[in-house]
Amino acid sequence: MWQSPGLALFSRRALLRDLLERAPREQRGRAATRCFSHVTLMLPQEEVDDDRHLTRGARARDLAQGLAALHQKDFGDLLAGDDVRYHVVGTERLEPGQVEVKFGHAVYLPAAEEQVQYTVAVSRDSAVWKTACAIYPNQRLTVIGQDEYGATCAAPGWPFGAEGGVLLINDGPGTPLEVQVRPKDAFECNYDASAGWYTVKSRRGAVDAAGAPLRLLLRITPAQPAHVPAAPAAQRPIPMAGASPRPTAPSARPAVWKPRVAPQPEMTAVPVAQAAAPAPRESEAIADATFAPLARQRVALAALALPRLSRYRETGAQALEIGLDGAFAPAAAGPDALIGFAVDEHDGLQAITPAGRERIAAPASFSPVDSTRVDLLAPAPALADRYCALLRLPRPPSQPVAAGARFVFGRGTPMLAGLRVLDSPRFLKSSGAPCSADRLGLSRTAFSFEADTDGWRIARLSPTQALYHLDEGLQFVAAIGDATADAPYRLPAGHHLVAGHYVLRFDA
């Protein structure tokens, strides 16, 4: 492998020594001034497995040590003090007797005592992250691509084929990691400071099977954040951007709420009696007849409160799974959902995407598609004994409410039934008979509400129903106790009420 015995004028076999001579690391004119010192040997996987089983890997170690000694002997004057390191790995693509060697500017073999400086993870949906590689302090160049044949390491789920890669430039501790794309005219790379990851997208408009633009999310986590400069306040959308530790700022909220088309008013809604208006003049009769009054008050489902299922063990509840479809409306978790969230019987949280399941913790933010973010908020201490997290809906559904009438919300009432999106056994996995998820924590008649001039009047109807008041930013305000129709609780317009799984926003 290093050199042929005797004189081999007619030998066509490539030798490692010749390859290193023909491809120096640095040269002046035609004279080599420095050679590569880190080499990865790839052998057939079956041979490597046999060596590990029969000799505990002794033959692979002897091969690496022997080649390192020959390398040091023949190229000692071109090493410039670099350590010679060889590493033997197996691969399934080689046939018996074949050998591949890998060396270059982006090939680095860490020393035994060398500590990791950065960990690089990739994702397609921002929920399931898979580790791509580790970066060491003396590892200057790293190429992430489709496979290890043309890159330093392969990115799980790389969507762009073999035409490009991501180049990471490390100038050592104390300097930010640079992220570039190759080729530059084929990809764009933007840094999202609020989320803490890079988004790599194709400039050629490539899309996946669902019609969404191809993208790859890249997250770089420093092993020692205290020694890494903080992330810049803003990043321009250019192919090269400085690296940064994970930001500690809270995730940005959606800038625009996009409610679904409101359903028709409930048939049980009581129309409001209004004072008779004076008869219009003849000249105004036609104009007035073309207008109809609209209800100004609305109730929106701003978030879903994920319960602690450990409180309901006697019901046989094993898991609650909620998905968000293409319109970000709550739906059953399945292959058609962009992203889903699950709570198990031990109160563990998981994110569910087509890439798999990932254990998560609140607070967290996810971006299954561009321009839309899903926030998972941590509950306030007053709610933590009942709920694991609050799932903020990017596009809250809403329904109109007539002013001046008193309505009842609960599991057995038709009012706002369109907002009780979990009223189905599809969401709840149970060891017993299938039942609606609303049976966990929502009474048949939970509370009554009535629009007023200065907000809303709330009255608790069931003594076992827990009600919580949250402000505009979903921050805890108070627990609503013995509020009755005679002494109702005043809820300001734009604030939220938590009942069961539902976080309802009462708008004016």
PDB file of all heavy atoms in Angstrom, residues 300-330:
ATOM      1  N   ALA A 300     -61.308  33.230  20.799  1.00  0.00           N
ATOM      2  CA  ALA A 300     -60.324  32.519  19.981  1.00  0.00           C
ATOM      3  C   ALA A 300     -59.621  31.465  20.830  1.00  0.00           C
ATOM      4  O   ALA A 300     -59.415  31.645  22.044  1.00  0.00           O
ATOM      5  CB  ALA A 300     -59.306  33.490  19.389  1.00  0.00           C
ATOM      6  N   LEU A 301     -59.248  30.368  20.194  1.00  0.00           N
ATOM      7  CA  LEU A 301     -58.461  29.320  20.834  1.00  0.00           C
ATOM      8  C   LEU A 301     -56.990  29.671  20.624  1.00  0.00           C
ATOM      9  O   LEU A 301     -56.406  29.354  19.589  1.00  0.00           O
ATOM     10  CB  LEU A 301     -58.800  27.955  20.247  1.00  0.00           C
ATOM     11  CG  LEU A 301     -58.029  26.767  20.815  1.00  0.00           C
ATOM     12  CD1 LEU A 301     -58.287  26.614  22.312  1.00  0.00           C
ATOM     13  CD2 LEU A 301     -58.383  25.482  20.074  1.00  0.00           C
ATOM     14  N   ALA A 302     -56.390  30.337  21.587  1.00  0.00           N
ATOM     15  CA  ALA A 302     -55.027  30.832  21.440  1.00  0.00           C
ATOM     16  C   ALA A 302     -53.982  29.748  21.635  1.00  0.00           C
ATOM     17  O   ALA A 302     -52.905  29.798  21.029  1.00  0.00           O
ATOM     18  CB  ALA A 302     -54.773  31.974  22.425  1.00  0.00           C
ATOM     19  N   ALA A 303     -54.255  28.773  22.492  1.00  0.00           N
ATOM     20  CA  ALA A 303     -53.257  27.740  22.795  1.00  0.00           C
ATOM     21  C   ALA A 303     -53.970  26.517  23.336  1.00  0.00           C
ATOM     22  O   ALA A 303     -55.153  26.557  23.708  1.00  0.00           O
ATOM     23  CB  ALA A 303     -52.231  28.257  23.804  1.00  0.00           C
ATOM     24  N   LEU A 304     -53.226  25.421  23.370  1.00  0.00           N
ATOM     25  CA  LEU A 304     -53.695  24.184  23.971  1.00  0.00           C
ATOM     26  C   LEU A 304     -52.826  23.887  25.182  1.00  0.00           C
ATOM     27  O   LEU A 304     -51.596  23.920  25.095  1.00  0.00           O
ATOM     28  CB  LEU A 304     -53.627  23.024  22.975  1.00  0.00           C
ATOM     29  CG  LEU A 304     -54.562  23.118  21.769  1.00  0.00           C
ATOM     30  CD1 LEU A 304     -54.267  22.006  20.778  1.00  0.00           C
ATOM     31  CD2 LEU A 304     -56.018  23.059  22.210  1.00  0.00           C
ATOM     32  N   ALA A 305     -53.460  23.600  26.296  1.00  0.00           N
ATOM     33  CA  ALA A 305     -52.743  23.273  27.528  1.00  0.00           C
ATOM     34  C   ALA A 305     -52.554  21.759  27.582  1.00  0.00           C
ATOM     35  O   ALA A 305     -53.530  20.997  27.642  1.00  0.00           O
ATOM     36  CB  ALA A 305     -53.521  23.770  28.742  1.00  0.00           C
ATOM     37  N   LEU A 306     -51.303  21.311  27.535  1.00  0.00           N
ATOM     38  CA  LEU A 306     -50.999  19.876  27.539  1.00  0.00           C
ATOM     39  C   LEU A 306     -51.015  19.379  28.976  1.00  0.00           C
ATOM     40  O   LEU A 306     -50.209  19.828  29.802  1.00  0.00           O
ATOM     41  CB  LEU A 306     -49.641  19.626  26.888  1.00  0.00           C
ATOM     42  CG  LEU A 306     -49.466  20.201  25.478  1.00  0.00           C
ATOM     43  CD1 LEU A 306     -48.123  19.787  24.892  1.00  0.00           C
ATOM     44  CD2 LEU A 306     -50.598  19.762  24.568  1.00  0.00           C
ATOM     45  N   PRO A 307     -51.899  18.456  29.313  1.00  0.00           N
ATOM     46  CA  PRO A 307     -52.066  18.064  30.713  1.00  0.00           C
ATOM     47  C   PRO A 307     -50.987  17.098  31.183  1.00  0.00           C
ATOM     48  O   PRO A 307     -50.312  16.434  30.379  1.00  0.00           O
ATOM     49  CB  PRO A 307     -53.436  17.382  30.712  1.00  0.00           C
ATOM     50  CG  PRO A 307     -53.514  16.771  29.347  1.00  0.00           C
ATOM     51  CD  PRO A 307     -52.813  17.734  28.420  1.00  0.00           C
ATOM     52  N   ARG A 308     -50.836  17.013  32.488  1.00  0.00           N
ATOM     53  CA  ARG A 308     -50.013  15.975  33.100  1.00  0.00           C
ATOM     54  C   ARG A 308     -50.867  14.716  33.236  1.00  0.00           C
ATOM     55  O   ARG A 308     -51.766  14.645  34.080  1.00  0.00           O
ATOM     56  CB  ARG A 308     -49.504  16.434  34.460  1.00  0.00           C
ATOM     57  CG  ARG A 308     -48.504  17.575  34.392  1.00  0.00           C
ATOM     58  CD  ARG A 308     -47.866  17.839  35.742  1.00  0.00           C
ATOM     59  NE  ARG A 308     -46.868  18.881  35.633  1.00  0.00           N
ATOM     60  CZ  ARG A 308     -45.601  18.687  35.285  1.00  0.00           C
ATOM     61  NH1 ARG A 308     -45.190  17.459  35.007  1.00  0.00           N
ATOM     62  NH2 ARG A 308     -44.759  19.684  35.213  1.00  0.00           N
ATOM     63  N   LEU A 309     -50.590  13.731  32.410  1.00  0.00           N
ATOM     64  CA  LEU A 309     -51.412  12.523  32.410  1.00  0.00           C
ATOM     65  C   LEU A 309     -51.228  11.702  33.677  1.00  0.00           C
ATOM     66  O   LEU A 309     -52.049  10.812  33.959  1.00  0.00           O
ATOM     67  CB  LEU A 309     -51.091  11.671  31.184  1.00  0.00           C
ATOM     68  CG  LEU A 309     -51.503  12.260  29.832  1.00  0.00           C
ATOM     69  CD1 LEU A 309     -51.254  11.247  28.724  1.00  0.00           C
ATOM     70  CD2 LEU A 309     -52.955  12.693  29.839  1.00  0.00           C
ATOM     71  N   SER A 310     -50.179  11.960  34.438  1.00  0.00           N
ATOM     72  CA  SER A 310     -49.991  11.215  35.678  1.00  0.00           C
ATOM     73  C   SER A 310     -51.129  11.494  36.664  1.00  0.00           C
ATOM     74  O   SER A 310     -51.368  10.685  37.567  1.00  0.00           O
ATOM     75  CB  SER A 310     -48.650  11.581  36.312  1.00  0.00           C
ATOM     76  OG  SER A 310     -48.580  12.969  36.594  1.00  0.00           O
ATOM     77  N   ARG A 311     -51.839  12.603  36.498  1.00  0.00           N
ATOM     78  CA  ARG A 311     -52.967  12.913  37.362  1.00  0.00           C
ATOM     79  C   ARG A 311     -54.201  12.081  37.024  1.00  0.00           C
ATOM     80  O   ARG A 311     -55.160  12.049  37.793  1.00  0.00           O
ATOM     81  CB  ARG A 311     -53.326  14.398  37.247  1.00  0.00           C
ATOM     82  CG  ARG A 311     -52.249  15.338  37.749  1.00  0.00           C
ATOM     83  CD  ARG A 311     -52.640  16.776  37.466  1.00  0.00           C
ATOM     84  NE  ARG A 311     -53.951  17.109  38.033  1.00  0.00           N
ATOM     85  CZ  ARG A 311     -54.143  17.627  39.233  1.00  0.00           C
ATOM     86  NH1 ARG A 311     -53.099  17.878  40.000  1.00  0.00           N
ATOM     87  NH2 ARG A 311     -55.347  17.926  39.663  1.00  0.00           N
ATOM     88  N   TYR A 312     -54.190  11.410  35.861  1.00  0.00           N
ATOM     89  CA  TYR A 312     -55.378  10.692  35.395  1.00  0.00           C
ATOM     90  C   TYR A 312     -55.069   9.209  35.162  1.00  0.00           C
ATOM     91  O   TYR A 312     -55.610   8.589  34.246  1.00  0.00           O
ATOM     92  CB  TYR A 312     -55.898  11.325  34.103  1.00  0.00           C
ATOM     93  CG  TYR A 312     -56.140  12.811  34.214  1.00  0.00           C
ATOM     94  CD1 TYR A 312     -55.185  13.722  33.776  1.00  0.00           C
ATOM     95  CD2 TYR A 312     -57.310  13.310  34.762  1.00  0.00           C
ATOM     96  CE1 TYR A 312     -55.388  15.087  33.880  1.00  0.00           C
ATOM     97  CE2 TYR A 312     -57.532  14.672  34.870  1.00  0.00           C
ATOM     98  CZ  TYR A 312     -56.568  15.557  34.429  1.00  0.00           C
ATOM     99  OH  TYR A 312     -56.782  16.904  34.534  1.00  0.00           O
ATOM    100  N   ARG A 313     -54.182   8.648  35.979  1.00  0.00           N
ATOM    101  CA  ARG A 313     -53.820   7.241  35.786  1.00  0.00           C
ATOM    102  C   ARG A 313     -55.016   6.318  35.960  1.00  0.00           C
ATOM    103  O   ARG A 313     -55.110   5.272  35.312  1.00  0.00           O
ATOM    104  CB  ARG A 313     -52.721   6.858  36.774  1.00  0.00           C
ATOM    105  CG  ARG A 313     -51.342   7.382  36.391  1.00  0.00           C
ATOM    106  CD  ARG A 313     -50.249   6.635  37.134  1.00  0.00           C
ATOM    107  NE  ARG A 313     -48.927   7.106  36.714  1.00  0.00           N
ATOM    108  CZ  ARG A 313     -48.223   7.991  37.399  1.00  0.00           C
ATOM    109  NH1 ARG A 313     -48.713   8.511  38.528  1.00  0.00           N
ATOM    110  NH2 ARG A 313     -47.034   8.364  36.980  1.00  0.00           N
ATOM    111  N   GLU A 314     -55.947   6.683  36.867  1.00  0.00           N
ATOM    112  CA  GLU A 314     -57.069   5.793  37.105  1.00  0.00           C
ATOM    113  C   GLU A 314     -57.996   5.697  35.898  1.00  0.00           C
ATOM    114  O   GLU A 314     -58.782   4.748  35.786  1.00  0.00           O
ATOM    115  CB  GLU A 314     -57.872   6.284  38.322  1.00  0.00           C
ATOM    116  CG  GLU A 314     -58.591   7.606  38.120  1.00  0.00           C
ATOM    117  CD  GLU A 314     -57.691   8.808  38.283  1.00  0.00           C
ATOM    118  OE1 GLU A 314     -56.486   8.603  38.560  1.00  0.00           O
ATOM    119  OE2 GLU A 314     -58.198   9.942  38.156  1.00  0.00           O
ATOM    120  N   THR A 315     -57.894   6.632  34.948  1.00  0.00           N
ATOM    121  CA  THR A 315     -58.728   6.568  33.746  1.00  0.00           C
ATOM    122  C   THR A 315     -58.129   5.669  32.676  1.00  0.00           C
ATOM    123  O   THR A 315     -58.791   5.385  31.681  1.00  0.00           O
ATOM    124  CB  THR A 315     -58.923   7.971  33.171  1.00  0.00           C
ATOM    125  OG1 THR A 315     -57.661   8.483  32.699  1.00  0.00           O
ATOM    126  CG2 THR A 315     -59.484   8.919  34.215  1.00  0.00           C
ATOM    127  N   GLY A 316     -56.870   5.254  32.844  1.00  0.00           N
ATOM    128  CA  GLY A 316     -56.196   4.444  31.828  1.00  0.00           C
ATOM    129  C   GLY A 316     -55.556   5.245  30.725  1.00  0.00           C
ATOM    130  O   GLY A 316     -55.091   4.660  29.730  1.00  0.00           O
ATOM    131  N   ALA A 317     -55.503   6.574  30.865  1.00  0.00           N
ATOM    132  CA  ALA A 317     -54.890   7.406  29.828  1.00  0.00           C
ATOM    133  C   ALA A 317     -53.398   7.118  29.736  1.00  0.00           C
ATOM    134  O   ALA A 317     -52.673   7.184  30.737  1.00  0.00           O
ATOM    135  CB  ALA A 317     -55.131   8.881  30.139  1.00  0.00           C
ATOM    136  N   GLN A 318     -52.919   6.808  28.540  1.00  0.00           N
ATOM    137  CA  GLN A 318     -51.524   6.453  28.319  1.00  0.00           C
ATOM    138  C   GLN A 318     -50.756   7.513  27.536  1.00  0.00           C
ATOM    139  O   GLN A 318     -49.563   7.707  27.776  1.00  0.00           O
ATOM    140  CB  GLN A 318     -51.434   5.119  27.574  1.00  0.00           C
ATOM    141  CG  GLN A 318     -52.008   3.950  28.357  1.00  0.00           C
ATOM    142  CD  GLN A 318     -51.960   2.674  27.569  1.00  0.00           C
ATOM    143  OE1 GLN A 318     -52.017   2.673  26.329  1.00  0.00           O
ATOM    144  NE2 GLN A 318     -51.875   1.550  28.267  1.00  0.00           N
ATOM    145  N   ALA A 319     -51.387   8.198  26.621  1.00  0.00           N
ATOM    146  CA  ALA A 319     -50.694   9.215  25.821  1.00  0.00           C
ATOM    147  C   ALA A 319     -51.724  10.144  25.192  1.00  0.00           C
ATOM    148  O   ALA A 319     -52.828   9.712  24.821  1.00  0.00           O
ATOM    149  CB  ALA A 319     -49.824   8.576  24.736  1.00  0.00           C
ATOM    150  N   LEU A 320     -51.360  11.398  25.093  1.00  0.00           N
ATOM    151  CA  LEU A 320     -52.156  12.396  24.382  1.00  0.00           C
ATOM    152  C   LEU A 320     -51.298  12.938  23.246  1.00  0.00           C
ATOM    153  O   LEU A 320     -50.196  13.454  23.485  1.00  0.00           O
ATOM    154  CB  LEU A 320     -52.564  13.525  25.322  1.00  0.00           C
ATOM    155  CG  LEU A 320     -53.364  14.672  24.689  1.00  0.00           C
ATOM    156  CD1 LEU A 320     -54.764  14.195  24.308  1.00  0.00           C
ATOM    157  CD2 LEU A 320     -53.461  15.871  25.631  1.00  0.00           C
ATOM    158  N   GLU A 321     -51.759  12.777  22.006  1.00  0.00           N
ATOM    159  CA  GLU A 321     -50.990  13.194  20.829  1.00  0.00           C
ATOM    160  C   GLU A 321     -51.810  14.195  20.026  1.00  0.00           C
ATOM    161  O   GLU A 321     -52.957  13.921  19.666  1.00  0.00           O
ATOM    162  CB  GLU A 321     -50.619  11.998  19.962  1.00  0.00           C
ATOM    163  CG  GLU A 321     -49.695  11.000  20.666  1.00  0.00           C
ATOM    164  CD  GLU A 321     -49.230   9.894  19.747  1.00  0.00           C
ATOM    165  OE1 GLU A 321     -49.679   9.873  18.576  1.00  0.00           O
ATOM    166  OE2 GLU A 321     -48.416   9.057  20.195  1.00  0.00           O
ATOM    167  N   ILE A 322     -51.203  15.345  19.756  1.00  0.00           N
ATOM    168  CA  ILE A 322     -51.860  16.437  19.029  1.00  0.00           C
ATOM    169  C   ILE A 322     -50.971  16.815  17.847  1.00  0.00           C
ATOM    170  O   ILE A 322     -49.778  17.072  18.020  1.00  0.00           O
ATOM    171  CB  ILE A 322     -52.075  17.661  19.932  1.00  0.00           C
ATOM    172  CG1 ILE A 322     -52.880  17.270  21.173  1.00  0.00           C
ATOM    173  CG2 ILE A 322     -52.767  18.774  19.178  1.00  0.00           C
ATOM    174  CD1 ILE A 322     -52.955  18.361  22.210  1.00  0.00           C
ATOM    175  N   GLY A 323     -51.532  16.859  16.661  1.00  0.00           N
ATOM    176  CA  GLY A 323     -50.797  17.258  15.472  1.00  0.00           C
ATOM    177  C   GLY A 323     -51.295  18.585  14.944  1.00  0.00           C
ATOM    178  O   GLY A 323     -52.383  19.050  15.272  1.00  0.00           O
ATOM    179  N   LEU A 324     -50.473  19.224  14.116  1.00  0.00           N
ATOM    180  CA  LEU A 324     -50.840  20.447  13.409  1.00  0.00           C
ATOM    181  C   LEU A 324     -50.749  20.160  11.920  1.00  0.00           C
ATOM    182  O   LEU A 324     -49.703  19.735  11.422  1.00  0.00           O
ATOM    183  CB  LEU A 324     -49.900  21.603  13.794  1.00  0.00           C
ATOM    184  CG  LEU A 324     -49.906  22.028  15.268  1.00  0.00           C
ATOM    185  CD1 LEU A 324     -48.920  23.171  15.491  1.00  0.00           C
ATOM    186  CD2 LEU A 324     -51.297  22.426  15.722  1.00  0.00           C
ATOM    187  N   ASP A 325     -51.856  20.390  11.197  1.00  0.00           N
ATOM    188  CA  ASP A 325     -51.882  20.074   9.773  1.00  0.00           C
ATOM    189  C   ASP A 325     -51.229  21.185   8.955  1.00  0.00           C
ATOM    190  O   ASP A 325     -50.585  22.094   9.496  1.00  0.00           O
ATOM    191  CB  ASP A 325     -53.311  19.811   9.314  1.00  0.00           C
ATOM    192  CG  ASP A 325     -54.228  21.019   9.527  1.00  0.00           C
ATOM    193  OD1 ASP A 325     -53.718  22.143   9.714  1.00  0.00           O
ATOM    194  OD2 ASP A 325     -55.457  20.836   9.498  1.00  0.00           O
ATOM    195  N   GLY A 326     -51.395  21.133   7.626  1.00  0.00           N
ATOM    196  CA  GLY A 326     -50.755  22.113   6.756  1.00  0.00           C
ATOM    197  C   GLY A 326     -51.198  23.534   7.002  1.00  0.00           C
ATOM    198  O   GLY A 326     -50.458  24.481   6.703  1.00  0.00           O
ATOM    199  N   ALA A 327     -52.400  23.740   7.550  1.00  0.00           N
ATOM    200  CA  ALA A 327     -52.885  25.072   7.901  1.00  0.00           C
ATOM    201  C   ALA A 327     -52.621  25.406   9.356  1.00  0.00           C
ATOM    202  O   ALA A 327     -53.136  26.392   9.866  1.00  0.00           O
ATOM    203  CB  ALA A 327     -54.381  25.180   7.612  1.00  0.00           C
ATOM    204  N   PHE A 328     -51.830  24.573  10.044  1.00  0.00           N
ATOM    205  CA  PHE A 328     -51.495  24.742  11.459  1.00  0.00           C
ATOM    206  C   PHE A 328     -52.742  24.704  12.340  1.00  0.00           C
ATOM    207  O   PHE A 328     -52.789  25.353  13.374  1.00  0.00           O
ATOM    208  CB  PHE A 328     -50.700  26.024  11.692  1.00  0.00           C
ATOM    209  CG  PHE A 328     -49.295  25.948  11.171  1.00  0.00           C
ATOM    210  CD1 PHE A 328     -48.986  26.400   9.899  1.00  0.00           C
ATOM    211  CD2 PHE A 328     -48.292  25.385  11.934  1.00  0.00           C
ATOM    212  CE1 PHE A 328     -47.697  26.305   9.414  1.00  0.00           C
ATOM    213  CE2 PHE A 328     -46.998  25.287  11.464  1.00  0.00           C
ATOM    214  CZ  PHE A 328     -46.697  25.750  10.198  1.00  0.00           C
ATOM    215  N   ALA A 329     -53.729  23.945  11.917  1.00  0.00           N
ATOM    216  CA  ALA A 329     -54.915  23.707  12.732  1.00  0.00           C
ATOM    217  C   ALA A 329     -54.736  22.391  13.474  1.00  0.00           C
ATOM    218  O   ALA A 329     -54.129  21.445  12.945  1.00  0.00           O
ATOM    219  CB  ALA A 329     -56.170  23.653  11.863  1.00  0.00           C
ATOM    220  N   PRO A 330     -55.217  22.291  14.714  1.00  0.00           N
ATOM    221  CA  PRO A 330     -55.072  21.038  15.464  1.00  0.00           C
ATOM    222  C   PRO A 330     -55.735  19.879  14.736  1.00  0.00           C
ATOM    223  O   PRO A 330     -56.860  19.983  14.248  1.00  0.00           O
ATOM    224  CB  PRO A 330     -55.760  21.347  16.798  1.00  0.00           C
ATOM    225  CG  PRO A 330     -55.700  22.840  16.917  1.00  0.00           C
ATOM    226  CD  PRO A 330     -55.826  23.362  15.520  1.00  0.00           C
TER     227      PRO A 330
END
